[in-house]
Amino acid sequence: MTEPTAAAVVAPWWTSAVVYQVYPRSFADSNGDGIGDLRGIASKLDHLQLLGVDVIWLSPVYASPQDDAGYDISDYRAIDPSFGTLEDFDALLADVHSRGMKLVMDLVVNHTSDEHPWFVESRSSLDNPKRDWYWWRPTRPHMEPGAPGAEPTNWGSAFSGPAWDLDPLTGEYYLHLFSRKQPDLNWENPQVRAEIYAMMRWWLARGVDGFRMDVINFISKAVRADGSLPDGIVHDGALYGDGQPHFGCGPRLHEYLQEMHREVFAGRDVAPLTVGEMPGVTVDDAVLFTDPARAEVDMVFQFEHVGLDHGAGKFDVHPLRLTDLKASFGRWQAGLAEVGWNSLYWDNHDQPRIVSRFGDDGEHRELSATMLATVLHLHRGTPYVYQGEELAMTNAHFTSIDSYRDIESLNHYAEALAHGQANEDTLLASLRAMSRDNARTPVQWDATAQAGFTTGEPWIAVNPNYREINAAAQHDDPGSVFSFYRRLIELRHTEPVVALGDFTMLLADDEAVYAFVRSLEGTELLVLGNFTGAAQPVTLPNAQVWAGAELVIGNYSDPGVVDSLRPWEAQVWRRG
Ligand code: TEU
Ligand code: CA
């Protein structure tokens, strides 16, 4: 492993940054309508500044019928009234900047809302100038329009059902990889791309500092010369074909990302931060997407580790094997060690909360939360903290389907029941484990009514454990999960080895202990994490070199010992 060159010391700012994701609907409500909003976010910036994060990623706040909670946009240059106004946005951005933080917007351009004027025009007639802005195709040959299987391809939507809907007005089908109210844009059309680049430049001119790009690796579809699209393989027990091989990391994706970079990001004094959400992306793909020399994106969100407890699908839950997790993270650390850069996340608005998923949200909630945080934040890459993760908020543990709001969860429940794939109890159990709503319950600010999120009726229920788990109880408590996150984030800001050090996995076959070393210019950190609720021995190769090392951070009040870990213990030792 080459010694870090001078270049390393001028690594991009985001290699030592920590990003905080805000899901506006559930963050803080300022006007009592039960829905979080921009003024609510502004009222909580002290919390984020105290935490020490560098960047705020805002999930969508644009005008939207909210069919998929804002990821279905009807006007890219307007704020949805439920979140506030453009003036509220400008005030929030100015406040964020005045506190030395940056703000990144969510760019949702694989699809729009079906209420976006572009789609309203496109569906209005076969020869509308915007017809080719979306994917319209005729009924499958020799099939009756609207009949099961008559769709142009057999692809399933991510939200259950087919990925095509017949539009009676013109008798053609349109493609929607997500809900039928999220028609996919046709990026083959240069007018579509030009419009999107102009919209992005509009937000950058307004002062935003970058974009998180929603399912950006789905924008290039594998369309054949004759304009047709291939069917997908129908996996065992599946109702539809798997289209992902035909739209995931498609043939023109690199071309589009490089064009976007030229048209939107190139030549700016301060390079905007760009992170591409890319379900199904591989390490080799990611090296190409994040190689600075290729000018595509700074980093990607990959999904391998959040699929390790998936069986046939995400709702078929299997226990995590720690060796699988280490194998996956180890491959991504090694694969992007020389070229490219990793993002690091456990939680976001699409994943159940990690302390309930890979930790223990009962007896050892705080210890398992801080151990998981330590292991993640000490890897090489940019960490993302999802709202509430810094408080060790847990899954919702809903017991009734009536409590759920997420279109993916509700559609899955309805489809599985309708096709007799499972009974209500089994489905409710899998939703309790994996539903996206687990991440979307309101942030727990204090022990007052509705956890201080709203003075009204929240759009989704507050987790009843808010009296015990809330920000107010943790801000001034040096032993709290919140205070531990502050220390972890501070470590990345003050220790170059954390941001830029090489990564070496240890104990790859150990099913209980996660262990690795980070090293930079003679400084070495040993990171240990116990993924179980039982004490575990640690047998390190050449353990003696760590005798006399200094404990940099640990999640027990008294420093432990390198050769044995207490339940859910995390330790970070430094030498040199
Ligand atoms: O998510 C894309 C995506 O991969 C998720 O749908 C994921 O597969 C699933 O939720 C895991 O269960 C992005 C956004 O993050 C998500 O909120 C949107 O629903 C989706 O795109 C469509 O915009
Ligand atoms: Ca509100």
Side-chain angles (χ1 to χ4, degrees):
M1 185 62 66
T2 55
E3 275 311 301
T5 61
V9 292
V10 293
W13 63 267
W14 34 264
T15 56
S16 59
V18 175
V19 182
Y20 187 95
Q21 180 190 1
V22 168
Y23 189 72
R25 279 183 82 77
S26 304
F27 193 69
D29 174 23
S30 69
N31 64 352
D33 64 354
I35 299 174
D37 47 52
L38 293 173
R39 290 185 181 186
I41 300 169
S43 74
K44 298 297 183 183
L45 289 181
D46 288 354
H47 172 82
L48 301 184
Q49 195 165 5
L50 185 60
L51 183 60
V53 295
D54 306 279
V55 182
I56 298 171
W57 152 29
L58 265 192
S59 271
V61 292
Y62 314 94
S64 162
Q66 305 292 331
D67 186 59
D68 181 21
Y71 281 90
D72 50 311
I73 297 168
S74 52
D75 183 344
Y76 288 106
R77 301 184 191 202
I79 300 294
D80 193 83
S82 65
F83 293 128
T85 64
L86 271 172
E87 290 64 39
D88 291 333
F89 178 84
D90 294 341
L92 172 65
L93 184 58
D95 197 346
V96 168
H97 286 161
S98 71
R99 293 162 184 265
M101 294 187 280
K102 292 175 181 277
L103 188 144
V104 161
M105 294 294 272
D106 211 310
L107 179 77
V108 186
V109 291
N110 171 71
H111 45 266
T112 68
S113 164
D114 65 344
E115 299 182 26
H116 192 294
W118 296 346
F119 188 71
V120 172
E121 279 184 54
S122 181
R123 75 184 319 165
S124 65
S125 71
L126 291 171
D127 56 9
N128 180 279
K130 286 195 170 53
R131 187 67 172 182
D132 189 37
W133 284 42
Y134 294 84
W135 294 88
W136 291 98
R137 290 293 183 278
T139 303
R140 184 185 290 267
H142 322 302
M143 295 287 288
E144 191 54 39
E151 296 84 7
T153 75
N154 65 355
W155 302 348
S157 156
F159 296 157
S160 304
W164 297 88
D165 248 54
L166 178 64
D167 188 39
L169 183 65
T170 56
E172 287 198 328
Y173 287 82
Y174 66 89
L175 175 67
H176 56 85
L177 296 181
F178 295 91
S179 90
R180 61 168 52 88
K181 286 183 69 59
Q182 290 169 298
D184 280 54
L185 279 166
N186 174 16
W187 275 68
E188 307 287 321
N189 183 325
Q191 291 175 292
V192 168
R193 302 198 305 270
E195 265 297 325
I196 289 168
Y197 302 153
M199 175 267 288
M200 295 171 74
R201 290 190 297 267
W202 185 85
W203 280 105
L204 290 172
R206 213 172 184 91
V208 305
D209 305 291
F211 294 98
R212 174 266 186 191
M213 304 178 184
D214 191 63
V215 282
I216 200 70
N217 67 324
F218 288 2
I219 62 178
S220 169
K221 277 65 170 177
V223 61
R224 298 187 184 115
D226 67 0
S228 68
L229 292 156
D231 276 337
I233 296 166
V234 180
H235 299 299
D236 301 355
L239 298 170
Y240 300 96
D242 175 9
Q244 185 135 351
H246 307 299
F247 57 74
C249 296
R252 297 182 67 185
L253 183 56
H254 290 294
E255 172 202 342
Y256 293 155
L257 291 175
Q258 290 172 11
E259 179 187 64
M260 178 192 281
H261 199 281
R262 282 193 308 275
E263 299 293 323
V264 179
F265 300 126
R268 291 177 181 272
D269 306 347
V270 179
L273 174 66
T274 57
V275 52
E277 184 208 26
M278 296 194 178
V281 70
T282 65
V283 172
D284 296 344
D285 293 333
V287 170
L288 298 177
F289 289 127
T290 64
D291 175 356
R294 295 172 54 92
E296 298 183 16
V297 294
D298 297 322
M299 60 191 96
V300 300
F301 286 139
Q302 53 96 0
F303 282 61
E304 268 186 28
H305 60 301
V306 292
L308 295 175
D309 54 357
H310 292 185
K314 69 173 278 183
F315 293 110
D316 173 20
V317 188
H318 288 222
L320 170 76
R321 277 163 40 91
L322 185 61
T323 47
D324 292 345
L325 179 67
K326 291 192 275 190
S328 176
F329 273 7
R331 229 169 331 97
W332 281 87
Q333 290 287 297
L336 297 175
E338 299 302 329
V339 174
W341 189 256
N342 274 298
S343 68
L344 306 170
Y345 73 93
W346 287 134
D347 283 356
N348 59 41
H349 62 293
D350 290 336
Q351 302 296 332
R353 288 190 177 276
I354 202 67
V355 70
S356 300
R357 188 180 191 179
F358 293 169
D360 165 2
D361 66 4
E363 184 192 356
H364 293 117
R365 178 181 60 83
E366 294 167 305
L367 281 171
S368 61
T370 49
M371 183 284 291
L372 288 160
T374 304
V375 165
L376 187 80
H377 282 242
L378 270 290
H379 277 74
R380 190 171 189 277
T382 298
Y384 288 72
V385 178
Y386 176 67
Q387 65 183 42
E389 190 180 352
E390 79 279 16
L391 304 174
M393 281 176 57
T394 72
N395 277 353
H397 301 297
F398 289 151
T399 55
S400 158
I401 193 63
D402 302 336
S403 300
Y404 289 93
R405 302 285 180 273
D406 166 37
I407 185 172
E408 180 190 52
S409 302
L410 294 171
N411 286 6
H412 170 70
Y413 183 85
E415 182 179 76
L417 268 185
H419 288 84
Q421 289 174 321
N423 63 36
E424 290 179 9
D425 290 350
T426 306
L427 287 169
L428 285 173
S430 61
L431 287 183
R432 251 195 309 284
M434 297 304 283
S435 169
R436 306 190 300 178
D437 279 337
N438 283 307
R440 300 176 180 190
T441 59
V443 170
Q444 297 161 209
W445 293 107
D446 57 40
T448 65
Q450 306 297 2
F453 164 73
T454 179
T455 55
E457 186 60 33
W459 71 278
I460 190 169
V462 169
N463 190 315
N465 62 18
Y466 73 90
R467 294 180 187 81
E468 180 207 348
I469 305 173
N470 63 68
Q474 297 189 38
H475 280 155
D476 307 323
D477 169 0
S480 69
V481 174
F482 178 84
S483 298
F484 192 89
Y485 265 87
R486 288 185 65 186
R487 294 170 58 199
L488 273 179
I489 293 168
E490 183 63 14
L491 205 55
R492 178 169 287 272
H493 291 159
T494 55
E495 290 280 352
V497 64
V498 174
L500 301 171
D502 299 332
F503 176 94
T504 308
M505 184 71 82
L506 302 177
L507 310 182
D509 306 328
D510 191 312
E511 284 294 357
V513 173
Y514 199 124
F516 58 94
V517 169
R518 303 290 310 281
S519 54
L520 182 72
E521 295 165 354
T523 298
E524 280 205 336
L525 295 181
L526 169 66
V527 181
L528 301 173
N530 179 356
F531 271 66
T532 72
Q536 298 291 346
V538 179
T539 315
L540 291 173
N542 62 11
Q544 73 290 346
V545 302
W546 292 100
E550 172 212 356
L551 184 72
V552 175
I553 190 170
N555 64 349
Y556 274 71
S557 49
D558 61 306
V561 289
V562 169
D563 56 9
S564 109
L565 292 174
R566 291 164 282 190
W568 300 103
E569 183 167 12
Q571 300 172 351
V572 181
W573 300 90
R574 176 181 39 223
R575 72 189 194 93

Short mmCIF file of all heavy atoms in Angstrom, two decimals, residues 349-394:
data_model
loop_
_atom_site.label_atom_id
_atom_site.label_comp_id
_atom_site.label_asym_id
_atom_site.label_seq_id
_atom_site.Cartn_x
_atom_site.Cartn_y
_atom_site.Cartn_z
N HIS A 349 -34.28 6.86 4.71
CA HIS A 349 -35.76 6.87 4.78
C HIS A 349 -36.38 5.65 4.10
O HIS A 349 -37.59 5.48 4.10
CB HIS A 349 -36.28 8.14 4.10
CG HIS A 349 -35.90 8.18 2.66
ND1 HIS A 349 -34.59 8.30 2.23
CD2 HIS A 349 -36.63 8.04 1.54
CE1 HIS A 349 -34.55 8.23 0.91
NE2 HIS A 349 -35.78 8.08 0.46
N ASP A 350 -35.51 4.78 3.52
CA ASP A 350 -35.98 3.55 2.85
C ASP A 350 -35.63 2.29 3.62
O ASP A 350 -36.01 1.19 3.20
CB ASP A 350 -35.33 3.43 1.46
CG ASP A 350 -35.83 4.47 0.47
OD1 ASP A 350 -36.95 4.97 0.66
OD2 ASP A 350 -35.08 4.77 -0.48
N GLN A 351 -34.85 2.45 4.72
CA GLN A 351 -34.37 1.27 5.44
C GLN A 351 -34.90 1.28 6.87
O GLN A 351 -35.01 2.34 7.48
CB GLN A 351 -32.84 1.26 5.48
CG GLN A 351 -32.17 1.27 4.12
CD GLN A 351 -32.50 0.01 3.30
OE1 GLN A 351 -32.76 -1.05 3.86
NE2 GLN A 351 -32.51 0.15 1.98
N PRO A 352 -35.21 0.10 7.44
CA PRO A 352 -35.55 0.04 8.86
C PRO A 352 -34.36 0.50 9.71
O PRO A 352 -33.23 0.52 9.22
CB PRO A 352 -35.85 -1.44 9.09
CG PRO A 352 -35.15 -2.16 7.99
CD PRO A 352 -35.21 -1.23 6.81
N ARG A 353 -34.62 0.91 10.93
CA ARG A 353 -33.55 1.50 11.75
C ARG A 353 -32.56 0.42 12.19
O ARG A 353 -32.95 -0.65 12.69
CB ARG A 353 -34.16 2.26 12.93
CG ARG A 353 -34.84 3.56 12.49
CD ARG A 353 -35.23 4.44 13.65
NE ARG A 353 -35.81 5.71 13.21
CZ ARG A 353 -35.10 6.80 12.85
NH1 ARG A 353 -33.78 6.74 12.86
NH2 ARG A 353 -35.71 7.91 12.47
N ILE A 354 -31.27 0.74 12.05
CA ILE A 354 -30.20 -0.24 12.22
C ILE A 354 -30.15 -0.82 13.64
O ILE A 354 -29.84 -2.00 13.82
CB ILE A 354 -28.83 0.36 11.83
CG1 ILE A 354 -27.85 -0.76 11.50
CG2 ILE A 354 -28.33 1.32 12.90
CD1 ILE A 354 -28.21 -1.55 10.24
N VAL A 355 -30.47 0.01 14.68
CA VAL A 355 -30.36 -0.52 16.04
C VAL A 355 -31.36 -1.67 16.26
O VAL A 355 -31.10 -2.61 17.01
CB VAL A 355 -30.55 0.62 17.08
CG1 VAL A 355 -31.99 1.12 17.10
CG2 VAL A 355 -30.13 0.13 18.48
N SER A 356 -32.51 -1.59 15.54
CA SER A 356 -33.50 -2.67 15.63
C SER A 356 -33.15 -3.81 14.69
O SER A 356 -33.54 -4.95 14.90
CB SER A 356 -34.89 -2.11 15.27
OG SER A 356 -35.26 -1.06 16.15
N ARG A 357 -32.38 -3.49 13.63
CA ARG A 357 -32.12 -4.47 12.55
C ARG A 357 -30.88 -5.32 12.84
O ARG A 357 -30.94 -6.54 12.87
CB ARG A 357 -31.95 -3.69 11.25
CG ARG A 357 -31.85 -4.53 9.99
CD ARG A 357 -31.70 -3.62 8.77
NE ARG A 357 -31.86 -4.34 7.52
CZ ARG A 357 -31.79 -3.76 6.32
NH1 ARG A 357 -31.54 -2.47 6.22
NH2 ARG A 357 -31.95 -4.49 5.22
N PHE A 358 -29.74 -4.68 13.05
CA PHE A 358 -28.48 -5.39 13.30
C PHE A 358 -28.03 -5.26 14.75
O PHE A 358 -27.02 -5.81 15.15
CB PHE A 358 -27.37 -4.85 12.38
CG PHE A 358 -27.55 -5.12 10.90
CD1 PHE A 358 -26.73 -4.49 9.98
CD2 PHE A 358 -28.54 -5.98 10.44
CE1 PHE A 358 -26.87 -4.71 8.60
CE2 PHE A 358 -28.70 -6.22 9.06
CZ PHE A 358 -27.87 -5.58 8.16
N GLY A 359 -28.79 -4.46 15.55
CA GLY A 359 -28.41 -4.24 16.96
C GLY A 359 -29.41 -4.89 17.88
O GLY A 359 -29.99 -5.95 17.57
N ASP A 360 -29.63 -4.24 19.02
CA ASP A 360 -30.59 -4.74 20.03
C ASP A 360 -31.33 -3.52 20.55
O ASP A 360 -30.78 -2.72 21.31
CB ASP A 360 -29.83 -5.44 21.17
CG ASP A 360 -30.69 -5.65 22.41
OD1 ASP A 360 -31.89 -5.29 22.38
OD2 ASP A 360 -30.16 -6.15 23.43
N ASP A 361 -32.61 -3.33 20.10
CA ASP A 361 -33.29 -2.09 20.51
C ASP A 361 -34.02 -2.24 21.84
O ASP A 361 -34.84 -1.39 22.20
CB ASP A 361 -34.25 -1.60 19.40
CG ASP A 361 -35.43 -2.55 19.15
OD1 ASP A 361 -35.54 -3.56 19.89
OD2 ASP A 361 -36.21 -2.28 18.22
N GLY A 362 -33.64 -3.31 22.59
CA GLY A 362 -34.22 -3.49 23.92
C GLY A 362 -33.18 -3.17 24.97
O GLY A 362 -32.70 -2.02 25.10
N GLU A 363 -32.71 -4.23 25.70
CA GLU A 363 -31.80 -4.05 26.84
C GLU A 363 -30.53 -3.29 26.47
O GLU A 363 -30.05 -2.43 27.21
CB GLU A 363 -31.43 -5.43 27.40
CG GLU A 363 -30.55 -5.38 28.66
CD GLU A 363 -29.96 -6.76 29.00
OE1 GLU A 363 -30.32 -7.75 28.27
OE2 GLU A 363 -29.15 -6.83 29.92
N HIS A 364 -29.95 -3.59 25.29
CA HIS A 364 -28.65 -2.97 24.93
C HIS A 364 -28.80 -1.95 23.80
O HIS A 364 -27.92 -1.84 22.94
CB HIS A 364 -27.67 -4.08 24.52
CG HIS A 364 -27.28 -4.99 25.63
ND1 HIS A 364 -27.57 -6.34 25.61
CD2 HIS A 364 -26.63 -4.76 26.79
CE1 HIS A 364 -27.11 -6.92 26.70
NE2 HIS A 364 -26.54 -5.98 27.45
N ARG A 365 -29.88 -1.18 23.83
CA ARG A 365 -30.13 -0.25 22.72
C ARG A 365 -28.98 0.74 22.55
O ARG A 365 -28.40 0.88 21.47
CB ARG A 365 -31.44 0.50 22.95
CG ARG A 365 -31.78 1.53 21.88
CD ARG A 365 -33.08 2.25 22.20
NE ARG A 365 -33.00 2.95 23.47
CZ ARG A 365 -32.47 4.16 23.60
NH1 ARG A 365 -31.96 4.78 22.56
NH2 ARG A 365 -32.40 4.75 24.79
N GLU A 366 -28.58 1.41 23.60
CA GLU A 366 -27.55 2.45 23.49
C GLU A 366 -26.18 1.85 23.14
O GLU A 366 -25.48 2.36 22.26
CB GLU A 366 -27.50 3.27 24.78
CG GLU A 366 -28.78 4.08 25.00
CD GLU A 366 -28.86 4.63 26.40
OE1 GLU A 366 -28.76 3.80 27.34
OE2 GLU A 366 -29.00 5.86 26.55
N LEU A 367 -25.82 0.72 23.76
CA LEU A 367 -24.51 0.11 23.47
C LEU A 367 -24.46 -0.38 22.03
O LEU A 367 -23.49 -0.13 21.30
CB LEU A 367 -24.25 -1.05 24.43
CG LEU A 367 -23.78 -0.68 25.83
CD1 LEU A 367 -23.79 -1.93 26.72
CD2 LEU A 367 -22.38 -0.06 25.78
N SER A 368 -25.55 -1.04 21.58
CA SER A 368 -25.48 -1.57 20.20
C SER A 368 -25.51 -0.42 19.20
O SER A 368 -24.83 -0.46 18.16
CB SER A 368 -26.63 -2.56 19.95
OG SER A 368 -27.89 -1.95 20.11
N ALA A 369 -26.24 0.65 19.52
CA ALA A 369 -26.29 1.81 18.61
C ALA A 369 -24.92 2.46 18.49
O ALA A 369 -24.46 2.78 17.39
CB ALA A 369 -27.30 2.82 19.13
N THR A 370 -24.22 2.62 19.61
CA THR A 370 -22.91 3.28 19.55
C THR A 370 -21.84 2.36 18.96
O THR A 370 -20.90 2.83 18.31
CB THR A 370 -22.50 3.76 20.97
OG1 THR A 370 -22.67 2.68 21.89
CG2 THR A 370 -23.35 4.95 21.41
N MET A 371 -22.00 1.05 19.14
CA MET A 371 -21.06 0.12 18.49
C MET A 371 -21.23 0.16 16.98
O MET A 371 -20.25 0.31 16.23
CB MET A 371 -21.29 -1.31 19.01
CG MET A 371 -20.30 -2.34 18.47
SD MET A 371 -20.65 -2.86 16.76
CE MET A 371 -22.17 -3.78 16.99
N LEU A 372 -22.49 0.13 16.52
CA LEU A 372 -22.76 0.17 15.08
C LEU A 372 -22.25 1.48 14.49
O LEU A 372 -21.66 1.51 13.41
CB LEU A 372 -24.26 0.00 14.83
CG LEU A 372 -24.81 -1.41 15.06
CD1 LEU A 372 -26.31 -1.39 15.28
CD2 LEU A 372 -24.46 -2.32 13.88
N ALA A 373 -22.42 2.57 15.23
CA ALA A 373 -21.96 3.88 14.75
C ALA A 373 -20.44 3.91 14.64
O ALA A 373 -19.88 4.38 13.65
CB ALA A 373 -22.43 4.98 15.70
N THR A 374 -19.76 3.35 15.65
CA THR A 374 -18.29 3.35 15.65
C THR A 374 -17.75 2.57 14.45
O THR A 374 -16.90 3.06 13.70
CB THR A 374 -17.78 2.71 16.95
OG1 THR A 374 -18.35 3.40 18.06
CG2 THR A 374 -16.26 2.75 17.02
N VAL A 375 -18.29 1.36 14.27
CA VAL A 375 -17.79 0.52 13.17
C VAL A 375 -18.01 1.23 11.83
O VAL A 375 -17.11 1.32 11.00
CB VAL A 375 -18.49 -0.86 13.19
CG1 VAL A 375 -18.26 -1.61 11.89
CG2 VAL A 375 -17.98 -1.68 14.37
N LEU A 376 -19.19 1.82 11.63
CA LEU A 376 -19.48 2.47 10.35
C LEU A 376 -18.59 3.70 10.13
O LEU A 376 -17.91 3.84 9.10
CB LEU A 376 -20.94 2.90 10.27
CG LEU A 376 -21.37 3.43 8.89
CD1 LEU A 376 -21.66 2.28 7.93
CD2 LEU A 376 -22.58 4.35 8.99
N HIS A 377 -18.54 4.60 11.15
CA HIS A 377 -17.88 5.89 10.98
C HIS A 377 -16.36 5.79 10.87
O HIS A 377 -15.69 6.72 10.40
CB HIS A 377 -18.27 6.85 12.11
CG HIS A 377 -19.63 7.45 11.94
ND1 HIS A 377 -19.84 8.81 11.80
CD2 HIS A 377 -20.85 6.88 11.83
CE1 HIS A 377 -21.13 9.05 11.66
NE2 HIS A 377 -21.77 7.90 11.67
N LEU A 378 -15.79 4.63 11.31
CA LEU A 378 -14.34 4.51 11.24
C LEU A 378 -13.88 3.84 9.94
O LEU A 378 -12.69 3.67 9.71
CB LEU A 378 -13.81 3.73 12.46
CG LEU A 378 -13.45 4.57 13.69
CD1 LEU A 378 -12.19 5.41 13.40
CD2 LEU A 378 -14.57 5.45 14.18
N HIS A 379 -14.84 3.51 9.07
CA HIS A 379 -14.44 3.00 7.75
C HIS A 379 -13.98 4.18 6.88
O HIS A 379 -14.18 5.35 7.23
CB HIS A 379 -15.61 2.28 7.06
CG HIS A 379 -15.79 0.85 7.50
ND1 HIS A 379 -16.31 0.51 8.72
CD2 HIS A 379 -15.51 -0.31 6.87
CE1 HIS A 379 -16.35 -0.81 8.82
NE2 HIS A 379 -15.87 -1.34 7.68
N ARG A 380 -13.40 3.86 5.74
CA ARG A 380 -12.91 4.90 4.82
C ARG A 380 -14.06 5.26 3.88
O ARG A 380 -14.53 4.42 3.12
CB ARG A 380 -11.71 4.37 4.03
CG ARG A 380 -10.95 5.40 3.21
CD ARG A 380 -9.66 4.77 2.66
NE ARG A 380 -8.76 5.74 2.04
CZ ARG A 380 -8.88 6.16 0.79
NH1 ARG A 380 -9.87 5.71 0.03
NH2 ARG A 380 -8.02 7.05 0.28
N GLY A 381 -14.52 6.54 3.98
CA GLY A 381 -15.64 6.97 3.16
C GLY A 381 -16.36 8.11 3.86
O GLY A 381 -15.96 8.54 4.95
N THR A 382 -17.43 8.59 3.26
CA THR A 382 -18.20 9.69 3.87
C THR A 382 -19.41 9.13 4.59
O THR A 382 -20.29 8.53 3.96
CB THR A 382 -18.64 10.69 2.78
OG1 THR A 382 -17.47 11.27 2.18
CG2 THR A 382 -19.50 11.80 3.39
N PRO A 383 -19.48 9.29 5.94
CA PRO A 383 -20.62 8.76 6.69
C PRO A 383 -21.87 9.62 6.52
O PRO A 383 -21.77 10.84 6.43
CB PRO A 383 -20.15 8.80 8.15
CG PRO A 383 -18.70 9.09 8.11
CD PRO A 383 -18.47 9.89 6.85
N TYR A 384 -23.03 8.95 6.53
CA TYR A 384 -24.33 9.60 6.49
C TYR A 384 -25.08 9.21 7.75
O TYR A 384 -25.17 8.03 8.10
CB TYR A 384 -25.11 9.17 5.25
CG TYR A 384 -24.57 9.74 3.95
CD1 TYR A 384 -23.37 9.27 3.42
CD2 TYR A 384 -25.24 10.75 3.29
CE1 TYR A 384 -22.84 9.82 2.26
CE2 TYR A 384 -24.73 11.31 2.12
CZ TYR A 384 -23.53 10.83 1.61
OH TYR A 384 -23.01 11.39 0.46
N VAL A 385 -25.58 10.22 8.45
CA VAL A 385 -26.39 9.99 9.65
C VAL A 385 -27.83 10.33 9.29
O VAL A 385 -28.11 11.42 8.79
CB VAL A 385 -25.92 10.89 10.82
CG1 VAL A 385 -26.81 10.68 12.05
CG2 VAL A 385 -24.46 10.63 11.15
N TYR A 386 -28.76 9.37 9.52
CA TYR A 386 -30.17 9.62 9.19
C TYR A 386 -30.87 10.14 10.44
O TYR A 386 -30.64 9.65 11.56
CB TYR A 386 -30.84 8.34 8.72
CG TYR A 386 -32.32 8.50 8.46
CD1 TYR A 386 -32.78 9.31 7.41
CD2 TYR A 386 -33.27 7.88 9.26
CE1 TYR A 386 -34.13 9.49 7.17
CE2 TYR A 386 -34.63 8.06 9.03
CZ TYR A 386 -35.05 8.87 7.99
OH TYR A 386 -36.40 9.07 7.77
N GLN A 387 -31.73 11.09 10.29
CA GLN A 387 -32.41 11.74 11.42
C GLN A 387 -32.91 10.71 12.43
O GLN A 387 -33.61 9.75 12.11
CB GLN A 387 -33.58 12.61 10.93
CG GLN A 387 -34.71 11.84 10.28
CD GLN A 387 -35.80 12.78 9.74
OE1 GLN A 387 -35.47 13.80 9.16
NE2 GLN A 387 -37.05 12.42 9.94
N GLY A 388 -32.54 10.91 13.68
CA GLY A 388 -32.96 10.01 14.76
C GLY A 388 -31.95 8.92 15.06
O GLY A 388 -31.92 8.39 16.17
N GLU A 389 -31.06 8.64 14.06
CA GLU A 389 -30.02 7.62 14.28
C GLU A 389 -29.09 8.08 15.41
O GLU A 389 -28.65 7.29 16.23
CB GLU A 389 -29.24 7.42 12.97
CG GLU A 389 -28.28 6.25 12.93
CD GLU A 389 -27.54 6.14 11.56
OE1 GLU A 389 -27.90 6.89 10.61
OE2 GLU A 389 -26.62 5.32 11.47
N GLU A 390 -28.83 9.41 15.46
CA GLU A 390 -27.96 9.98 16.49
C GLU A 390 -28.60 9.94 17.88
O GLU A 390 -27.95 10.27 18.88
CB GLU A 390 -27.59 11.43 16.12
CG GLU A 390 -28.65 12.49 16.39
CD GLU A 390 -29.74 12.57 15.33
OE1 GLU A 390 -29.86 11.62 14.52
OE2 GLU A 390 -30.48 13.57 15.33
N LEU A 391 -29.86 9.55 17.95
CA LEU A 391 -30.56 9.41 19.24
C LEU A 391 -30.84 7.94 19.55
O LEU A 391 -31.43 7.61 20.57
CB LEU A 391 -31.90 10.17 19.18
CG LEU A 391 -31.85 11.66 18.80
CD1 LEU A 391 -33.26 12.21 18.66
CD2 LEU A 391 -31.04 12.44 19.83
N ALA A 392 -30.41 7.05 18.63
CA ALA A 392 -30.74 5.62 18.71
C ALA A 392 -32.24 5.40 18.74
O ALA A 392 -32.77 4.60 19.53
CB ALA A 392 -30.07 4.96 19.91
N MET A 393 -32.97 6.14 17.88
CA MET A 393 -34.40 5.86 17.73
C MET A 393 -34.55 4.46 17.14
O MET A 393 -33.70 3.99 16.40
CB MET A 393 -35.07 6.89 16.82
CG MET A 393 -35.38 8.22 17.49
SD MET A 393 -36.06 9.46 16.35
CE MET A 393 -37.51 8.63 15.67
N THR A 394 -35.68 3.82 17.48
CA THR A 394 -35.88 2.42 17.07
C THR A 394 -36.95 2.30 15.99
O THR A 394 -37.63 3.27 15.65
CB THR A 394 -36.38 1.59 18.27
OG1 THR A 394 -37.74 1.97 18.55
CG2 THR A 394 -35.50 1.79 19.50
#
